[in-house]
Amino acid sequence: MSDPTCGDVLVLNVGSSSIKCAVFDSVLHEVLRGGIEGLGPQATLRLGVLRRDVEACDHRAALAVLLEALDAQGVLLGNLRVVGHRVVHGGPRLTQPVRITPQVRDEIALCTPLAPLHNPHHLAAMDALAALAPDLPQVACFDTGFHATNPEVALRYALPQELADNGLRRYGFHGLSYAGLVERLETLAGALPDRVLAFHLGNGASACAIRGGHSVATTMGYSPTDGLTMGTRCGSIDPSVVLRLAEERGIDGARHLLDHGSGLAGLSGGVSDMRTLEARGDPASRFAIDHFIYWARRHAGSLIAAMQGLDAIVFTGGIGENSAMIRAGILDGLTWAGARYDPAKNSRHAPRLHDDGTLVTAWVLPAEEERMIAQAARDLVIMA
Ligand code: ADP
């Protein structure tokens, strides 16, 4: 077992109401994982087996509590060699992991209008850490970066050029997860299949066409609201519906409905959790699941067209890794594209769902965003 005192890389995933963390050693063994949820006067700290209520009213306070708890478990701030941050939005220019300098920090701040609920919190954590440990290198890894290889025709909306120049274009998300899948699939399959259809299915859900290891199309767009039916987000929707909602409920009301009251929750009457929906089995829950599967298949068809065929399908994320029913539902709708799987292997969540000799292979792989961030941070700072 790894020794927490050898923590070299701290990975931080700072969200609006939580901070998740993972600690790795320099050969990328994970030594500790946890975080603080429900930021406020009664937040919950989890670190390894430890669980306790804490006061953490803002990100700065939460980070201080987290660092103290890490210290108590042998991960000393002074011993860390680098901190890697997941940054949701890098805009059009920040597409590769990068060491955080004042210039990079300013560039991330410039992307705030693109991710108003995320980038300010990332910056708060970076600033707080810089104040506590000015000499500790920090690295930013961008969830949008993997999709920078999409062709311009995939990235642009059919809007006038000046709007695209102003940032109104597609970006795509879940990029760190997809980059991790590519690495893991190459190792497991022996060689990377050319045309990979990847599904990251969690509370947020997206799919991506990956050709030769590079993203060529993805379902999320300007924001993570687009694409598949999700836990509480609506996915693809006619913009005229958005305009009508905005007229009737105001901008904030419309945004709240589309991001927090739609998707599985909207369809089922309030339940966004796939495991709960599967267990309930009432007509509304069943319809929500059918909608999720149907639109995953529909988007899959579009992605297969974008990469002109299909050689492998990969599932990850809480639903992708754990729901045999959803994987079967999606794969059963893609037999026309050559998808085949062994139901017994699917029930076991085996990494390899297909039998030998299958032309289009199917896989279940863990989402490894934190490890990808740790690897990038280590490579940029420790191995440099
Ligand atoms: P997030 O996008 O918040 O990181 P996760 O990747 O953790 O979310 O995925 C959460 C989703 O995974 C929830 O809908 C949850 O119900 C679903 N899930 C987890 N385990 C199972 C399971 N055994 N069967 C079906 N769904 C599951």
Side-chain angles (χ1 to χ4, degrees):
M1 202 175 126
S2 304
D3 172 5
T5 55
C6 65
D8 292 294
V9 186
L10 171 65
V11 173
L12 291 178
N13 183 350
V14 181
S16 51
S17 64
S18 69
I19 299 184
K20 294 182 195 155
C21 76
V23 180
F24 294 82
D25 67 17
S26 60
V27 288
L28 301 183
H29 287 135
E30 185 177 308
V31 292
L32 200 54
R33 172 179 286 266
I36 298 189
E37 282 168 17
L39 259 57
Q42 266 206 310
T44 307
L45 166 74
R46 283 195 181 82
L47 199 58
V49 292
L50 173 81
R51 184 189 185 286
R52 77 177 144 88
D53 291 341
V54 293
E55 187 181 329
C57 289
D58 59 21
H59 289 82
R60 184 176 289 267
L63 193 64
V65 171
L66 195 58
L67 291 173
E68 202 182 297
L70 284 166
D71 188 285
Q73 299 212 21
V75 179
L76 312 184
L77 185 60
N79 287 353
L80 287 171
R81 299 170 72 186
V82 59
V83 176
H85 295 263
R86 169 176 176 258
V87 177
V88 164
H89 220 304
R93 283 184 292 276
L94 294 171
T95 59
Q96 298 293 326
V98 62
R99 192 159 166 169
I100 300 169
T101 61
Q103 292 74 23
V104 168
R105 191 210 173 278
D106 290 349
E107 184 79 31
I108 294 171
L110 281 178
C111 299
T112 293
L114 298 168
L117 301 180
H118 293 98
N119 279 22
H121 304 310
H122 306 323
L123 291 166
M126 289 169 199
D127 293 347
L129 256 178
L132 286 168
D135 296 328
L136 179 61
Q138 301 191 52
V139 165
C141 299
F142 303 95
D143 221 15
T144 44
F146 186 67
H147 306 294
T149 49
N150 283 197
E152 188 66 12
V153 70
L155 289 174
R156 279 284 298 278
Y157 293 115
L159 292 171
Q161 175 75 46
E162 67 265 25
L163 294 175
D165 294 342
N166 205 20
L168 293 177
R169 38 154 277 190
R170 300 174 66 90
Y171 295 94
F173 299 86
H174 287 146
L176 296 161
S177 170
Y178 291 127
L181 288 186
V182 166
E183 277 199 6
R184 180 60 76 109
L185 182 59
E186 186 163 19
T187 308
L188 273 183
L192 187 66
D194 183 29
R195 295 160 301 184
V196 178
L197 173 63
F199 288 96
H200 180 115
L201 307 178
N203 284 314
S206 73
C208 181
I210 301 171
R211 183 147 208 197
H214 303 291
S215 171
V216 295
T218 189
T219 54
M220 286 177 170
Y222 173 75
S223 80
T225 311
D226 200 5
L228 308 184
T229 303
M230 299 179 225
T232 61
R233 296 183 205 134
C234 60
S236 298
I237 194 165
D238 185 332
S240 295
V241 175
V242 181
L243 292 174
R244 178 163 165 190
L245 285 171
E247 269 172 12
E248 291 176 359
R249 299 170 181 237
I251 302 283
D252 288 343
R255 180 179 291 128
H256 192 266
L257 178 77
L258 296 169
D259 278 336
H260 301 290
S262 302
L264 297 172
L267 293 165
S268 70
V271 179
S272 64
D273 187 85
M274 185 60 86
R275 196 172 5 187
T276 308
L277 290 171
E278 287 186 14
R280 279 166 48 130
D282 60 291
S285 300
R286 186 61 241 172
F287 182 73
I289 293 172
D290 287 348
H291 198 278
F292 185 90
I293 292 172
Y294 174 87
W295 285 100
R297 293 172 173 182
R298 285 272 301 260
H299 283 285
S302 165
L303 294 171
I304 293 168
M307 58 185 170
Q308 291 291 289
L310 182 64
D311 299 304
I313 303 176
V314 189
F315 294 94
T316 194
I319 299 171
E321 291 169 47
N322 298 301
S323 174
M325 182 215 260
I326 297 294
R327 287 193 304 265
I330 295 172
L331 290 168
D332 288 342
L334 297 176
T335 50
W336 60 270
R340 301 283 182 275
Y341 67 100
D342 175 344
K345 290 178 183 160
N346 187 41
S347 304
R348 290 198 302 273
H349 313 294
R352 193 183 296 257
L353 302 182
H354 55 278
D355 292 324
D356 287 346
T358 308
L359 285 181
V360 176
T361 57
W363 309 80
V364 179
L365 300 176
E368 296 194 300
E369 286 136 313
E370 289 85 5
R371 186 177 303 280
M372 292 307 290
I373 295 167
Q375 184 175 310
R378 179 198 65 170
D379 292 352
L380 272 175
V381 173
I382 302 177
M383 313 281 270

